[in-house]
Amino acid sequence: VCKRMDLVCQRMLNQGFLKVERYHNLCQKQVKAQLPRRESERRNHSLARHADILAAVETRLSLLNMTFMKYVDSNLCCFIPGKVIDEIYRVLRYVNSTRAPQRAHEVLQELRDISSMAMEYFDEKIVPILKRKMPGSDVSGRLIGTAPVPGPSAALTTMQLFSKQNPSRQEVTKLQQQVKANGTGLTALKREISELRVKVQEQQKQLQDQDQKLLEQTQIIGEQNARLAELERKLREVMESTVGNSSGSGSNEQSPRKRRKAVESTDCPRKSKRLRNRK
């Protein structure tokens, strides 16, 4: 590879990572300026998912910074995973252009996968090679492998070498960086857990409200059933009373007819006797 082309590409990758960090800070400031100050009001705000996605991107950027920028600042390598930069830009542009984005884990799934793979590959394959190129690494190997020639100059050089670079210090700094990375990841997990707890509490409250409404509706239905039974009873009574009145009136109408027939039957022999006397 052309050395000049290699340097240009390294510079572009390093500048790309710094630019994406600035762009993320700008997006986060714009979203935070529109969010309310109270945490309870932020959860129900329309920009709540925007803030969650930007917070997760911030965690990823801090992990990438602690993994790569130590060696980038030492001019041992550049920010190698350019695809991660492109994916971060894609997520930030999606957040800026969408009013109702998807959930954070759906939007950041690809970014988490490729950034985790890049950091694991860098730590396992590239960091051991870069440690050999770091200043003082070959000297420490010589000190361990061969004993120095006794004398004041040899003692002075060994003291200077140990003062310039101590392997235990490098391990301590690496452990500190890992602790910081674990701390940032832990804070993100705590935030997600608190959000999940709030959502669970809200769902439990909704379930309690629904149970209360169901109990009230069952009470109302019971009262309506009692009223319907009372109305049916009254309707039966009214129907029975109307049927009894109609039967009584029919019997009264038939009694005068029977009386007339009986009178006519008694008058018939009297009429026959009168006719005989006239003859």
Side-chain angles (χ1 to χ4, degrees), residues 12-246:
M12 288 179 68
L13 287 169
N14 295 335
Q15 289 178 357
F17 183 73
L18 296 175
K19 286 180 180 178
V20 80
E21 280 186 332
R22 293 173 196 160
Y23 185 52
H24 170 264
N25 292 330
L26 180 63
C27 296
Q28 200 167 27
K29 285 180 182 178
Q30 290 176 355
V31 172
K32 284 184 177 180
Q34 298 177 11
L35 285 173
R37 292 184 178 179
R38 291 188 178 182
E39 189 69 23
S40 59
E41 294 178 357
R42 288 183 181 181
R43 293 169 191 150
N44 299 323
H45 199 267
S46 59
L47 296 175
R49 287 188 178 180
H50 297 74
D52 293 339
I53 294 170
L54 291 174
V57 172
E58 183 181 5
T59 304
R60 283 284 140 183
L61 285 170
S62 62
L63 291 172
L64 291 167
N65 194 349
M66 286 185 286
T67 304
F68 289 94
M69 297 311 289
K70 172 186 175 182
Y71 301 97
V72 173
D73 294 336
S74 300
N75 292 324
L76 294 174
C77 69
C78 65
F79 186 82
I80 298 169
K83 190 176 180 181
V84 175
I85 299 174
D86 297 336
E87 184 64 22
I88 294 171
Y89 269 120
R90 186 193 68 80
V91 172
L92 295 177
R93 286 166 185 159
Y94 172 76
V95 170
N96 285 335
S97 62
T98 307
R99 292 185 179 179
Q102 297 177 354
R103 295 181 180 178
H105 65 89
E106 296 176 357
V107 177
L108 299 170
Q109 185 175 2
E110 182 69 16
L111 177 60
R112 286 173 178 169
D113 291 340
I114 62 175
S115 60
S116 299
M117 288 190 293
M119 288 187 286
E120 288 175 2
Y121 182 81
F122 185 77
D123 289 333
E124 293 175 2
K125 303 292 183 181
I126 301 175
V127 168
I129 299 171
L130 297 179
K131 283 184 178 179
R132 294 172 192 168
K133 295 181 181 180
M134 291 181 74
S137 59
D138 54 349
V139 178
S140 61
R142 274 189 236 147
L143 287 172
I144 294 170
T146 60
V149 179
S153 60
L156 184 61
T157 53
T158 53
M159 290 296 293
Q160 288 176 353
L161 291 171
F162 273 112
S163 63
K164 284 183 179 178
Q165 182 171 0
N166 194 352
S168 62
R169 271 186 202 173
Q170 292 179 0
E171 294 176 357
V172 169
T173 54
K174 187 175 180 180
L175 289 173
Q176 288 177 353
Q177 290 177 357
Q178 290 179 356
V179 168
K180 288 180 181 178
N182 293 330
T184 53
L186 187 62
T187 52
L189 288 174
K190 285 181 179 179
R191 188 182 301 168
E192 291 180 358
I193 290 169
S194 63
E195 291 175 356
L196 290 173
R197 284 178 181 174
V198 171
K199 289 180 181 178
V200 168
Q201 290 177 359
E202 290 177 355
Q203 290 179 356
Q204 288 179 353
K205 188 176 180 181
Q206 290 177 359
L207 289 173
Q208 290 177 358
D209 295 337
Q210 290 177 358
D211 292 336
Q212 186 67 25
K213 289 180 181 178
L214 185 62
L215 182 62
E216 292 176 357
Q217 288 177 356
T218 52
Q219 290 178 354
I220 292 168
I221 290 169
E223 293 176 357
Q224 289 178 354
N225 290 330
R227 290 178 184 176
L228 288 172
E230 185 68 21
L231 290 172
E232 288 179 356
R233 187 180 63 78
K234 290 181 180 179
L235 185 61
R236 287 176 185 173
E237 291 178 356
V238 171
M239 293 288 289
E240 289 175 357
S241 62
T242 53
V243 171
N245 292 330
S246 62

